[in-house]
mmCIF file of all heavy atoms in Angstrom:
data_model
loop_
_atom_site.group_PDB
_atom_site.id
_atom_site.type_symbol
_atom_site.label_atom_id
_atom_site.label_comp_id
_atom_site.label_asym_id
_atom_site.label_seq_id
_atom_site.Cartn_x
_atom_site.Cartn_y
_atom_site.Cartn_z
ATOM 1 N N ALA H 26 78.377 125.354 -20.316
ATOM 2 C CA ALA H 26 77.731 125.115 -19.015
ATOM 3 C C ALA H 26 77.005 123.768 -19.014
ATOM 4 O O ALA H 26 77.145 122.972 -18.068
ATOM 5 C CB ALA H 26 76.749 126.247 -18.709
ATOM 6 N N TYR H 27 76.251 123.478 -20.066
ATOM 7 C CA TYR H 27 75.506 122.215 -20.114
ATOM 8 C C TYR H 27 76.457 121.015 -20.227
ATOM 9 O O TYR H 27 76.182 119.942 -19.687
ATOM 10 C CB TYR H 27 74.522 122.213 -21.289
ATOM 11 C CG TYR H 27 73.319 123.124 -21.112
ATOM 12 C CD1 TYR H 27 72.831 123.887 -22.169
ATOM 13 C CD2 TYR H 27 72.643 123.199 -19.895
ATOM 14 C CE1 TYR H 27 71.719 124.716 -22.026
ATOM 15 C CE2 TYR H 27 71.531 124.024 -19.740
ATOM 16 C CZ TYR H 27 71.080 124.781 -20.813
ATOM 17 O OH TYR H 27 69.980 125.585 -20.664
ATOM 18 N N THR H 28 77.557 121.214 -20.939
ATOM 19 C CA THR H 28 78.529 120.117 -21.074
ATOM 20 C C THR H 28 79.171 119.826 -19.719
ATOM 21 O O THR H 28 79.313 118.669 -19.309
ATOM 22 C CB THR H 28 79.613 120.483 -22.111
ATOM 23 O OG1 THR H 28 78.966 120.772 -23.351
ATOM 24 C CG2 THR H 28 80.604 119.347 -22.323
ATOM 25 N N PHE H 29 79.532 120.895 -19.010
ATOM 26 C CA PHE H 29 80.105 120.694 -17.672
ATOM 27 C C PHE H 29 79.079 120.014 -16.765
ATOM 28 O O PHE H 29 79.425 119.097 -16.002
ATOM 29 C CB PHE H 29 80.557 122.027 -17.054
ATOM 30 C CG PHE H 29 81.058 121.851 -15.658
ATOM 31 C CD1 PHE H 29 82.346 121.393 -15.425
ATOM 32 C CD2 PHE H 29 80.227 122.068 -14.569
ATOM 33 C CE1 PHE H 29 82.795 121.166 -14.128
ATOM 34 C CE2 PHE H 29 80.666 121.844 -13.271
ATOM 35 C CZ PHE H 29 81.957 121.404 -13.050
ATOM 36 N N ALA H 30 77.820 120.464 -16.839
ATOM 37 C CA ALA H 30 76.770 119.877 -15.991
ATOM 38 C C ALA H 30 76.679 118.372 -16.251
ATOM 39 O O ALA H 30 76.594 117.566 -15.309
ATOM 40 C CB ALA H 30 75.429 120.550 -16.277
ATOM 41 N N THR H 31 76.709 117.985 -17.514
ATOM 42 C CA THR H 31 76.587 116.566 -17.870
ATOM 43 C C THR H 31 77.801 115.788 -17.355
ATOM 44 O O THR H 31 77.650 114.689 -16.784
ATOM 45 C CB THR H 31 76.461 116.416 -19.406
ATOM 46 O OG1 THR H 31 75.410 117.271 -19.856
ATOM 47 C CG2 THR H 31 76.154 114.985 -19.805
ATOM 48 N N ALA H 32 78.993 116.364 -17.499
ATOM 49 C CA ALA H 32 80.213 115.686 -17.025
ATOM 50 C C ALA H 32 80.189 115.553 -15.496
ATOM 51 O O ALA H 32 80.556 114.512 -14.942
ATOM 52 C CB ALA H 32 81.449 116.466 -17.477
ATOM 53 N N ALA H 33 79.730 116.609 -14.802
ATOM 54 C CA ALA H 33 79.682 116.576 -13.339
ATOM 55 C C ALA H 33 78.666 115.533 -12.861
ATOM 56 O O ALA H 33 78.926 114.788 -11.903
ATOM 57 C CB ALA H 33 79.329 117.962 -12.794
ATOM 58 N N ALA H 34 77.511 115.473 -13.541
ATOM 59 C CA ALA H 34 76.491 114.470 -13.171
ATOM 60 C C ALA H 34 77.050 113.068 -13.375
ATOM 61 O O ALA H 34 76.867 112.180 -12.527
ATOM 62 C CB ALA H 34 75.234 114.677 -14.011
ATOM 63 N N PHE H 35 77.756 112.868 -14.474
ATOM 64 C CA PHE H 35 78.356 111.556 -14.758
ATOM 65 C C PHE H 35 79.348 111.193 -13.654
ATOM 66 O O PHE H 35 79.338 110.071 -13.131
ATOM 67 C CB PHE H 35 79.049 111.591 -16.125
ATOM 68 C CG PHE H 35 79.754 110.317 -16.488
ATOM 69 C CD1 PHE H 35 79.026 109.212 -16.925
ATOM 70 C CD2 PHE H 35 81.136 110.208 -16.372
ATOM 71 C CE1 PHE H 35 79.673 108.016 -17.245
ATOM 72 C CE2 PHE H 35 81.786 109.024 -16.679
ATOM 73 C CZ PHE H 35 81.058 107.925 -17.119
ATOM 74 N N ALA H 36 80.194 112.160 -13.283
ATOM 75 C CA ALA H 36 81.193 111.911 -12.229
ATOM 76 C C ALA H 36 80.512 111.500 -10.927
ATOM 77 O O ALA H 36 80.987 110.616 -10.206
ATOM 78 C CB ALA H 36 82.054 113.158 -12.024
ATOM 79 N N GLU H 37 79.374 112.127 -10.638
ATOM 80 C CA GLU H 37 78.652 111.814 -9.388
ATOM 81 C C GLU H 37 78.020 110.418 -9.474
ATOM 82 O O GLU H 37 78.135 109.607 -8.556
ATOM 83 C CB GLU H 37 77.570 112.879 -9.163
ATOM 84 C CG GLU H 37 76.832 112.743 -7.857
ATOM 85 C CD GLU H 37 77.712 113.009 -6.635
ATOM 86 O OE1 GLU H 37 78.602 113.869 -6.711
ATOM 87 O OE2 GLU H 37 77.495 112.315 -5.615
ATOM 88 N N VAL H 38 77.380 110.155 -10.611
ATOM 89 C CA VAL H 38 76.630 108.899 -10.765
ATOM 90 C C VAL H 38 77.566 107.680 -10.739
ATOM 91 O O VAL H 38 77.240 106.649 -10.148
ATOM 92 C CB VAL H 38 75.769 108.935 -12.056
ATOM 93 C CG1 VAL H 38 75.222 107.568 -12.407
ATOM 94 C CG2 VAL H 38 74.635 109.932 -11.888
ATOM 95 N N VAL H 39 78.737 107.804 -11.351
ATOM 96 C CA VAL H 39 79.649 106.648 -11.368
ATOM 97 C C VAL H 39 80.545 106.601 -10.120
ATOM 98 O O VAL H 39 81.357 105.689 -9.976
ATOM 99 C CB VAL H 39 80.533 106.584 -12.646
ATOM 100 C CG1 VAL H 39 79.682 106.469 -13.893
ATOM 101 C CG2 VAL H 39 81.478 107.768 -12.742
ATOM 102 N N GLY H 40 80.388 107.588 -9.235
ATOM 103 C CA GLY H 40 81.101 107.533 -7.953
ATOM 104 C C GLY H 40 82.488 108.161 -7.949
ATOM 105 O O GLY H 40 83.243 107.956 -6.991
#
Side-chain angles (χ1 to χ4, degrees):
Y27 288 139
T28 303
F29 176 80
T31 308
F35 177 77
E37 185 67 35
V38 168
V39 299

